[in-house]
Amino acid sequence: MKTLICASNPILNLSKSTPWKPKFPSFHPYQNHPSLSTLKPHASAKGFSTRPSNVENDVIKTDTRKPNRGKNNEDDELPKEVMYRVTGRILFCVGVPMGLGLAFLHLFGELKERQVWDAPLWVPFLTTLLTFGASTIGIAYGALSTSLDSEKKGSFLGLEQVQNNWVEMWKEDSES
């Protein structure tokens, strides 16, 4: 609320008052108003609680116990080497198509500006659709094409890892 109040443009404020009496009190964002200091946030929304809410007496209780990380934990953490490899592949698979898309847009703009070739509107649209679409698919491909074994790097394209990880992903999904 304070952000919205302080975001108003002070240049738009009139320095002189209007000749008629305003219906609402004027508000200047840089003055302290007692109405703002009395506002208190509410802990829960209406309709989501079965008992009446008393905001001043409510205490938020948090569970300070750590989750059980025993042998039965199905979501094992990946080693740092594998996470760095996944991150690098995702950045590469997203960055290359996006960079190509931006380069093509710049190339079409330069060709039009220098009056070499005025490309039809569908050409930049199609190249943008293909390259940016490929960069969004690159997120999934980058994650699937990474070897999850910390000692095994895998190939440059990671096609065999995509096949292995795809089967493993659907096997886990069908088990649950």
Side-chain angles (χ1 to χ4, degrees), residues 61-67:
K61 296 179 182 178
T62 58
D63 190 11
T64 57
R65 293 179 291 162
K66 293 185 179 180

Side-chain angles (χ1 to χ4, degrees), residues 89 92-93 141-147 153-163:
R89 279 200 186 250
F92 180 78
C93 293
Y141 182 77
L144 284 174
S145 66
T146 306
S147 172
K153 270 193 165 184
S155 66
F156 179 71
L157 293 178
L159 293 176
E160 68 279 349
Q161 290 303 321
V162 170
Q163 292 171 350

Side-chain angles (χ1 to χ4, degrees), residues 33-99:
H33 289 280
S35 62
L36 291 178
S37 63
T38 59
L39 293 176
K40 293 183 180 179
H42 296 284
S44 63
K46 279 187 173 181
F48 291 97
S49 174
T50 57
R51 62 180 175 85
S53 176
N54 188 359
V55 176
E56 294 159 0
N57 294 333
D58 281 349
V59 177
I60 299 174
K61 296 179 182 178
T62 58
D63 190 11
T64 57
R65 293 179 291 162
K66 293 185 179 180
N68 185 10
R69 294 200 180 258
K71 295 179 183 177
N72 296 335
N73 191 6
E74 293 178 8
D75 294 333
D76 295 331
E77 290 186 17
L78 291 174
K80 283 189 177 183
E81 304 89 36
V82 175
M83 282 304 297
Y84 291 146
R85 207 177 307 142
V86 169
T87 306
R89 279 200 186 250
I90 289 175
L91 289 176
F92 180 78
C93 293
V94 169
V96 169
M98 189 174 288

